Structures are given as C-alpha cells and as structure tokens.
Amino acid sequence: MTASPELGTFQLASPDLLRSTFRRHAAGVAVITARGASGPVGFTATSLTSVSADPPLVSFGIGTGASSWPAVAETEHVGIHILGEHQSDLAATFARSGADRFGAPTVWREGPNGVPVLDDVLAWLVCRIVGRVPAGEHRIVLAEVVLGDSTGAGRPLLYHQGRFNGLRD
C-alpha cells in the first residue's frame, strides 16, 4: 500500500508494525520485583513511565501470561529498579523465561513491605499499587512511590533494536 508522496509508504496497524516501530525507540531498562506466594518474582520492563510528580505515580505494563503476573495481580507493593549499563546480564536474566532470577549471581535483599530490592542499581523505588488497568493481553499497573534511593552511580542501560546498550556521548 502506498500513500501520497508526503507520507511515503505505510502499513496498516498490526502487531508486527508495532514491534518494528518500537525496536527503533530506545528505552530505559528496569526490573520490576514483587513478593509472590512462593517467593520473589521479577521481570525486565522497558515500559516504565513517570505518570505524576504530585502524587508521585509511575506505571508499567505486564502481560497477563507472564510468570510474574499472578504475584503482581495480588500484591500491594512492587519494587522498581533502574538498571545501569553494567547490568545487561541482569536485564537478560530477568527477561529470560524459566531463569532462576533471584539465584546467584543476582544480589538482592528483602526490602520494605517484603519487596525484593536488587543491589547495585542506579535507583530503586518501593511502590504501592493503586490500579491495574486492562490493556489487551496486558495490564497497565499504576503505582504510588512510597520510598526509594536514587543515588546509585553509573549510566543507564538502554534497550534498542532488540539489544541492551549503554549510552553513547
């Protein structure tokens, strides 16, 4: 399908169009954690968004088929961790289905409200979930920041073109 010369070529909306478009969008990498009925759970997310400064609200997306969804669906609190460029292996571990995400070499501790808190991240937050909004096969989770630490050293890890990357000057 072609359009006028001003628009060039285009495709009708599809999952493939959305995926290929967002491969071009560089996104920061976060790990979301929660306390599940059988222990800690977590996943890598690039959908983290600051929603409001007052009150301090964030959002992230999670698929309802994800292994972490049952815990996120039931818990009151989650941890949000902003990864540094030195943590591509950690990001890959939390992105991999079936991985032992909290086993060695992952270093973590139980934080406030029982939330798993990862070590050596650029920043972490503990948030209280205030909403879970249906969005296709996902849920958009809205969470209010309770406390955190933004003093980690380093530069952010990015996800672009299907790979984890560091920031370039």
Side-chain angles (χ1 to χ4, degrees):
M1 178 178 258
T2 60
S4 65
E6 301 85 44
L7 294 178
T9 61
F10 61 87
Q11 300 173 345
L12 293 177
S14 70
D16 286 340
L17 174 62
L18 189 64
R19 284 186 199 101
S20 65
T21 299
F22 274 86
R23 277 188 202 105
R24 296 176 179 271
H25 174 68
V29 181
V31 168
I32 312 296
T33 60
R35 173 62 62 186
S38 356
V41 301
F43 62 98
T44 300
T46 56
S47 61
L48 181 64
T49 304
S50 171
V51 175
S52 168
D54 189 15
L57 295 172
V58 298
S59 71
F60 61 87
I62 180 173
T64 56
S67 61
S68 297
W69 170 243
V72 174
E74 297 295 324
T75 193
E76 291 184 30
H77 294 88
V78 293
I80 296 175
H81 308 82
I82 307 300
L83 300 190
E85 64 184 357
H86 63 287
Q87 295 179 301
S88 59
D89 288 343
L90 182 67
T93 296
F94 276 84
R96 193 171 35 254
S97 181
D100 180 5
R101 297 172 179 160
F102 290 90
T106 302
V107 181
W108 66 282
R109 63 192 180 286
E110 185 171 314
N113 300 310
V115 172
V117 175
L118 302 175
D119 282 0
D120 197 30
V121 295
L122 297 186
W124 60 268
L125 301 169
V126 170
C127 302
R128 182 178 60 83
I129 294 178
V130 296
R132 296 172 185 88
V133 181
E137 76 281 4
H138 282 67
R139 296 296 179 267
I140 305 301
V141 178
L142 293 169
E144 184 173 12
V145 177
V146 175
L147 55 87
D149 180 0
S150 63
T151 61
R155 295 163 54 113
L157 182 64
L158 300 178
Y159 188 73
H160 180 252
Q161 293 288 4
R163 295 183 23 232
F164 297 114
N165 299 283
L167 217 109
R168 291 185 179 81
D169 290 328

